[in-house]
């Protein structure tokens, strides 16, 4: 669903990326390709949600089909790759096989499985924002760990702050409604428990009438009637 809030947060993140690269036009191709990849991946996530809702398949099954599709596509692409880069080896050698297995299992399949599960609870925009901005977190952490802070300027940290701000705002916009919903549900449960206690009191003390206040639907009265009938309160009349 289209939301202006998501558009605004996207522009904040894009502004952060431009600041990180000091708005240097030399990187315009890389920035454009990065934004294109993010857009295509967003489309992929939306399609994932639609397929999950229509087929009711679990995340592991969906991931299996997607990985098999990727293997098939890459296999068919090998002749094209060999025609463009004839000197490059296609089959991994030695320790490369172990590295590929490690990267493919621990750092691809597991995170992607978690992402598919997250898409069942969160909207695609929230998941994609956190996922697509992961390389920027890595850049900031690497700059600190490897002592390369002197190579980044003020605009870099402005960009990082803008990106983090967009993530925090999106997180708040998702978490706050969920928290309000949980609080509303807790209040409804507390109210329901009080109603049950009141009906039990009426049954125990042979009350003749119970007034159902704030009734808006007929099934609410029926729920009270059914509870009374099932717990020895058939003689109690209702006023609604």
């Amino acid at each position: 669903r289209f939301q202006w809030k998501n558009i605004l947060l996207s522009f904040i993140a894009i502004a952060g990326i431009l600041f990180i690269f000091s708005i240097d036009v030399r990187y315009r191709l890389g920035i454009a390709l990065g934004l294109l990849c993010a857009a295509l991946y967003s489309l992929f996530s939306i399609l994932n949600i639609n397929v999950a809702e229509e087929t009711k398949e679990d995340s592991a099954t969906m991931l299996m089909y997607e990985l098999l599709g990727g293997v098939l596509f890459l296999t068919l692409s090998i002749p094209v790759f060999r025609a463009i880069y004839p000197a490059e080896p296609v089959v991994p050698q030695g320790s490369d096989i172990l590295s590929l297995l490690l990267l493919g299992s621990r750092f691809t399949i597991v995170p992607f499985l978690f992402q598919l599960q997250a898409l069942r609870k969160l909207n695609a925009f929230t998941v994609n924002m956190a996922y697509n901005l992961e390389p920027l977190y890595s850049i900031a952490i690497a700059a600190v760990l490897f002592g390369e802070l002197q190579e980044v300027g003020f605009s870099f940290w402005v960009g990082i702050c803008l990106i983090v701000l967009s993530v925090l705002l999106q997180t708040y916009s998702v978490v706050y409604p969920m928290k309000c919903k949980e609080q509303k549900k807790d209040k409804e449960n507390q109210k329901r428990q009080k109603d049950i206690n009141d009906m039990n009191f009426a049954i125990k003390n042979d009350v003749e009438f119970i007034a159902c206040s704030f009734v808006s639907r007929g099934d609410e009265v029926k729920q009270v009637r059914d509870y009374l009938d099932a717990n020895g309160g058939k003689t109690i009349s209702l006023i609604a």
Side-chain angles (χ1 to χ4, degrees):
R1 186 173 67 247
F2 179 84
Q3 293 181 346
W4 283 107
K5 174 200 66 169
N6 293 343
I7 299 297
L8 176 61
L9 293 175
S10 299
F11 277 118
I12 294 176
I14 292 174
I17 295 174
L18 294 177
F19 271 103
I20 286 177
F21 289 98
S22 301
I23 318 181
D24 194 332
V25 295
R26 292 179 299 172
Y27 303 110
R28 62 181 180 274
L29 177 59
I31 294 175
L33 291 176
L35 294 176
L36 176 62
C37 290
L40 292 176
Y41 194 82
S42 299
L43 177 61
F44 177 69
S45 298
I46 294 173
L47 293 176
N48 266 330
I49 294 177
N50 292 335
V51 171
E53 292 178 349
E54 292 179 3
T55 62
K56 307 299 181 183
E57 292 286 353
D58 60 272
S59 301
T61 303
M62 291 180 58
L63 178 60
M64 180 187 68
Y65 286 123
E66 290 170 357
L67 291 178
L68 289 176
V71 170
L72 178 62
F73 175 78
L74 292 176
T75 301
L76 296 176
S77 300
I78 290 178
V80 179
F81 179 82
R82 293 300 302 270
I84 299 176
Y85 305 101
E88 294 293 333
V90 176
V91 180
Q93 304 292 330
S95 61
D96 291 341
I97 298 178
L98 180 61
S99 298
L100 287 173
L101 290 175
L102 179 63
L103 291 172
S105 59
R106 297 297 180 182
F107 302 107
T108 300
I109 294 178
V110 174
F112 198 75
L113 184 60
F114 286 153
Q115 184 193 12
L116 288 176
Q117 294 174 346
L119 283 170
R120 298 178 185 272
K121 302 294 183 180
L122 303 173
N123 60 49
F125 180 81
T126 301
V127 176
N128 285 329
M129 175 168 283
Y131 190 85
N132 289 323
L133 296 179
E134 180 184 350
L136 299 178
Y137 308 144
S138 303
I139 292 174
I141 294 174
V144 175
L145 293 181
F146 296 106
E148 298 179 353
L149 293 177
Q150 67 275 9
E151 298 184 15
V152 298
F154 176 75
S155 62
F156 174 84
W157 294 112
V158 172
I160 290 293
C161 290
L162 287 174
I163 291 171
V164 172
L165 175 63
S166 65
V167 174
L168 291 177
L169 290 175
Q170 175 62 13
T171 303
Y172 177 80
S173 68
V174 172
V175 173
Y176 181 73
M178 292 175 62
K179 186 176 180 180
C180 292
K181 186 177 180 180
E182 292 177 356
Q183 291 177 347
K184 182 179 180 181
K185 185 177 180 180
D186 290 340
K187 290 181 179 179
E188 290 177 351
N189 291 335
Q190 293 175 2
K191 181 181 178 182
R192 176 175 174 80
Q193 186 59 47
K194 183 180 182 303
D195 292 339
I196 292 176
N197 294 338
D198 291 341
M199 287 187 290
N200 290 335
F201 177 85
I203 295 171
K204 183 178 179 181
N205 293 275
D206 297 325
V207 173
E208 296 181 356
F209 295 93
I210 289 181
C212 301
S213 56
F214 303 106
V215 173
S216 58
R217 301 189 309 272
D219 63 318
E220 295 177 346
V221 179
K222 186 177 183 302
Q223 290 176 7
V224 176
R225 182 75 271 167
D226 291 342
Y227 183 86
L228 292 174
D229 292 346
N231 293 275
K234 292 184 178 181
T235 59
I236 300 177
S237 300
L238 299 180
I239 300 175

